[in-house]
Amino acid sequence: MDRVAVVTGASRGLGATFARVLAQEGFAVALGARDGAALGRLAAELPGAFAHPLDVGDPGSVAAFRQAVLGRFGRIDALVNNAGLGIFKRLEELSWEDWERTFRVNVFGAWALTAAFLPQLKESRGLVLMVSSDVSTRTFPNGGSYTASKFALRALTRTVQQENPELRVLELRPGAVDTWFAGSTPGAPGKDWFLQPEVVGEAVRFALRLPPGARVEEIVLRSAAQTPEF
Ligand code: NJP
């Protein structure tokens, strides 16, 4: 039976790219995001793909997604926790709602999906890929809620690995990538130096192609034009 990969936030941007790479590498992909129409279009491109609406910040939606995916495939070999958002404001301008939305999707969502598929991932000795950020270890003005969420995701990533040594858990840390992130548009003026999502997809392909005895724990991948801040 085909290996199965779940990708969250697969309706556009990096998630759609990761889904394509996984399909090229022989996985049947289960795609989740809120934009069902975009998911359906992507699923139609990818042989054996399955799309189901998913709001990673909503426990009922996560439970329904889990049931639909397991009903369809019955096994999970890889989980890509990619769904994420960023709200960039000074600390005193951030609202409670901004903080809650950011943590609900970027942190609680990744926890919820991992917990939901943990038995199947353990059974397959699977791969969990957390799409974090190059800012999961550094801060910058206006990035308070976003960087805090990615620091937290880094902690979650390490805990998942330590509690489940049979899994291989990767923290993928891209720098600026040319997607719809934070309300921008691919190809918008000023983004010519950003990484293309397909380049980040190659890092995922690298991790997928290594033998199961090798564990890539972290990848930082930035445009050569991005300031090297650590
Ligand atoms: O962003 P974008 P990226 N439930 O906006 C989905 C990280 N990253 O591809 O629900 C489920 O094009 C949304 O789907 P929909 C970043 O932190 C990026 O760049 O239909 N899905 C869409 O498919 C994030 O973790 C950069 O609206 C939800 C996707 O998320 C990851 O890369 C730099 C959702 C967002 O697509 C992918 O972001 C960096 C929910 N509640 C890290 N809310 C960068 N682009 O520069 C959103 O360091 N989504």
Side-chain angles (χ1 to χ4, degrees):
M1 188 196 230
D2 276 355
R3 290 177 303 167
V4 177
V6 172
V7 184
T8 71
S11 57
R12 58 174 191 253
L14 282 167
T17 300
F18 298 150
R20 289 192 177 96
V21 168
L22 282 153
Q24 288 159 8
E25 295 298 311
F27 285 80
V29 286
L31 312 174
R34 292 164 306 169
D35 183 345
L39 280 188
R41 285 193 296 275
L42 180 59
E45 255 182 53
L46 306 176
F50 173 70
H52 193 277
L54 170 67
D55 180 344
V56 299
D58 174 351
S61 176
V62 172
F65 181 77
R66 174 184 179 280
Q67 196 175 13
V69 170
L70 292 181
R72 170 67 178 255
F73 294 113
R75 62 175 295 151
I76 305 294
D77 302 87
L79 167 64
V80 184
N81 280 310
N82 164 79
L85 61 91
I87 298 168
F88 297 94
K89 297 177 188 171
R90 286 181 58 87
L91 288 174
E92 66 273 25
E93 290 160 358
L94 284 166
S95 65
W96 283 88
E97 206 227 331
D98 292 335
W99 278 97
E100 280 173 7
R101 267 185 66 208
T102 304
F103 269 72
R104 222 174 161 79
V105 175
N106 296 5
V107 186
F108 305 162
W111 158 73
L113 268 292
T114 306
F117 292 116
L118 199 55
Q120 290 71 33
L121 287 163
K122 286 165 83 99
E123 172 76 25
S124 66
R125 305 181 76 80
L127 186 70
V128 178
L129 209 152
M130 302 288 202
V131 183
S132 169
S133 173
D134 71 324
V135 302
S136 71
T137 54
R138 67 184 174 86
T139 60
F140 60 92
N142 296 314
S145 58
Y146 183 67
T147 57
S149 76
K150 295 297 185 178
F151 273 61
L153 182 59
R154 181 173 175 81
L156 173 69
T157 302
R158 292 174 172 206
T159 309
V160 173
Q161 182 67 80
Q162 288 176 327
E163 289 186 357
N164 304 285
E166 62 273 67
L167 302 182
R168 292 175 297 143
V169 187
L170 164 61
E171 186 190 1
L172 178 60
R173 304 177 57 200
V177 187
D178 191 16
T179 66
W180 282 262
F181 185 67
S184 79
T185 312
K191 293 178 77 184
D192 48 305
W193 59 271
F194 282 32
L195 282 182
Q196 289 305 308
E198 291 73 20
V199 177
V200 187
E202 291 309 310
V204 172
R205 196 189 307 277
F206 162 76
L208 292 175
R209 285 191 176 180
L210 288 177
R215 188 172 73 212
V216 196
E217 297 178 346
E218 192 171 337
I219 295 177
V220 185
L221 178 56
R222 291 194 281 214
S223 163
Q226 185 168 343
T227 309
E229 292 167 296
F230 300 101

